């Protein structure tokens, strides 16, 4: 098995991988990086990707695939489990929408307590949006469409109009299961247009083939036919059926940690970037460093001037383009 983590900040995913490998008696190869190493290689990794996918994990995928290539050509990855099976807090937001919309303040406070301040703000926005397409746009949008229009030149249409068109394509005329509709959209947008692009690019760049068992077409077809209650329970337990099955197959210590109540409703971890330390605050590593922003400046459709209008430092004004940093939290 292979894992990656930060040795100098916040939650280190490599520690969890070591515990799991010990319980499962699996040999483990760990890559550990630092905040400085992460930021130092961001610009190069983003430029290699050739498109501005704002995913803070792309540098980690790059480093991990580079290590894997030393010894293996084919590896399995757990990508694709969360989108069809309901693993993200945004899926919980849709499950609880019919209840939470009646008490937006209380729901937002609960989200902040369990999932962090950014999740609380996003859930509050979601609960004030009754139209299903607009609500799904709010759920998936990390950067407000108005800010996108200000910083990204698009000759096609305003960001909100484009987003509504992309989301509406996968919803259909009649929706009898709102959460299943969101999961279908999520699998075809954020999974296909973000996570899989990053994984495919860096794995192929290093000569590694990533295979995704959770996206086996027969399995995906079966999962998408299941009622959404098997994915996010009425009590808000994420990946309910999957965790029920996995708990019986894992050693007890792992089963309790990965499939217990806290794991089903708490904050999601995985490819964890110490985004609070790197991206937040006036003296953060992001503000002090300009290397990460250079790759964005290579793209003609990103307006550095517009992004810097209110703040003359482009690297600070453009940090919202790395918006997945806040979404991961």
């Amino acid at each position: 098995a292979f894992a990656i983590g930060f040795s100098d900040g916040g939650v280190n995913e490599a520690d969890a991988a070591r515990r799991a490998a010990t319980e499962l008696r699996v040999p483990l190869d760990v890559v550990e990086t630092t905040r400085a190493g992460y930021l130092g290689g961001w610009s190069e990794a983003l430029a290699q990707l050739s498109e501005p996918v704002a995913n803070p994990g792309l540098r980690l995928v790059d480093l991990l695939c580079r290590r894997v290539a030393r010894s293996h050509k084919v590896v399995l990855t757990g990508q694709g489990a969360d989108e069809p099976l309901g693993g993200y807090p945004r899926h919980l937001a849709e499950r609880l929408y019919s209840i939470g919309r009646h008490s937006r303040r209380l729901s937002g406070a609960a989200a902040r307590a369990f999932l962090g301040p950014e999740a609380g703000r996003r859930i509050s926005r979601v609960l004030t949006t009754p139209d299903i397409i607009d609500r799904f746009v709010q759920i998936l949008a990390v950067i407000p469409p108005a800010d996108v229009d200000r910083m990204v030149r698009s000759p096609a249409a305003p960001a909100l109009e484009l987003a509504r068109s992309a989301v509406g394509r996968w919803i259909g005329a009649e929706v009898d299961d709102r959460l299943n509709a969101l999961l279908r959209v999520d699998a075809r947008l954020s999974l296909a247009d973000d996570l899989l692009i990053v994984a495919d690019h860096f794995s192929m760049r290093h000569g590694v083939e990533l295979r995704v068992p959770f996206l086996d077409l027969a399995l995906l077809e079966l999962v998408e036919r299941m009622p959404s209650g098997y994915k996010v329970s009425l009590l808000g337990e994420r990946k309910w059926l999957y965790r029920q099955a996995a708990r019986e197959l894992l050693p007890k210590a792992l089963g309790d940690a990965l499939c217990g109540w806290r794991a089903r409703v708490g904050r999601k971890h995985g490819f964890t970037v110490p985004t609070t330390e790197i991206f937040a605050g006036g003296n953060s590593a992001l503000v002090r460093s300009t290397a990460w922003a250079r790759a964005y400046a290579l793209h003609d459709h990103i307006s550095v001037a517009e992004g810097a209008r209110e703040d003359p430092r482009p690297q600070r004004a453009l940090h919202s383009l790395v918006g997945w940093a806040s979404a991961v939290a």
Side-chain angles (χ1 to χ4, degrees), residues 18-31:
R18 290 187 181 98
R19 292 194 296 271
T22 298
E23 290 287 340
L24 295 170
R25 300 179 183 179
V26 174
L28 177 67
D29 191 348
V30 173
V31 181

Side-chain angles (χ1 to χ4, degrees), residues 305-329:
E306 286 297 312
R309 178 174 292 176
E310 296 179 3
D311 188 327
R313 288 169 290 185
Q315 71 274 20
R316 185 171 182 181
L318 283 174
H319 89 279
S320 59
L321 288 176
V322 201
W324 280 110
S326 59
V328 169

Side-chain angles (χ1 to χ4, degrees), residues 137-152:
V137 169
Q138 290 290 344
I139 288 173
L140 296 172
V142 178
I143 306 171
D147 289 348
V148 174
D149 289 334
R150 183 167 58 89
M151 288 187 286
V152 180

Side-chain angles (χ1 to χ4, degrees), residues 65-239:
C65 289
R66 185 177 302 176
R67 175 64 64 86
V68 170
R70 296 179 183 177
S71 57
H72 290 74
K73 290 296 183 183
V74 181
V75 289
L76 303 179
T77 173
Q79 278 191 320
D82 290 304
E83 289 79 6
L85 289 167
Y88 289 122
R90 57 180 177 261
H91 305 148
L92 169 62
E94 182 60 29
R95 163 60 74 209
L96 301 180
Y97 169 76
S98 58
I99 300 173
R101 65 190 176 92
H102 296 297
S103 182
R104 294 190 293 270
R105 182 174 298 179
L106 179 61
S107 300
R112 287 191 294 274
F114 281 96
L115 305 172
E118 175 62 22
R121 287 191 291 270
R122 294 179 73 191
I123 286 179
S124 295
R125 293 199 306 268
V126 167
L127 294 177
T128 60
T129 310
D131 180 80
I132 187 170
I133 295 181
D134 284 339
R135 187 165 69 252
F136 286 6
V137 169
Q138 290 290 344
I139 288 173
L140 296 172
V142 178
I143 306 171
D147 289 348
V148 174
D149 289 334
R150 183 167 58 89
M151 288 187 286
V152 180
R153 302 185 185 97
S154 173
L160 181 58
E161 183 179 334
L162 292 172
R164 281 186 54 86
S165 175
V167 169
R169 173 186 178 191
W170 298 109
I171 289 183
E174 296 183 5
V175 178
D176 56 359
D177 190 320
R178 298 191 319 270
L179 179 54
N180 263 346
L182 174 61
L183 298 178
R184 186 166 59 252
V185 169
D186 211 356
R188 286 156 179 81
L189 294 184
S190 64
L191 178 59
D193 291 338
D194 179 357
L195 300 180
L196 292 181
I197 286 179
V198 170
D200 287 349
H201 175 86
F202 287 110
S203 61
M204 290 188 290
R205 185 175 185 85
H206 295 294
V208 174
E209 181 181 343
L210 288 185
R211 295 187 178 176
V212 282
F214 284 104
L215 297 182
D216 175 86
L217 292 180
L219 175 61
L220 187 60
E221 182 183 7
L222 173 65
V223 168
E224 291 196 333
R225 291 205 312 267
M226 291 179 179
S228 63
Y230 287 110
K231 303 159 192 177
V232 181
S233 76
L234 295 177
L235 297 177
E237 301 165 280
R238 303 193 306 273
K239 290 199 289 192

Side-chain angles (χ1 to χ4, degrees), residues 277-314:
E277 295 87 349
I278 291 176
F279 293 91
N283 193 37
S284 68
L286 181 70
V287 174
R288 296 194 305 270
S289 171
T290 61
W292 71 273
R294 295 187 193 119
Y296 286 104
L298 297 176
H299 298 281
D300 293 337
H301 54 274
I302 294 179
S303 173
V304 176
E306 286 297 312
R309 178 174 292 176
E310 296 179 3
D311 188 327
R313 288 169 290 185

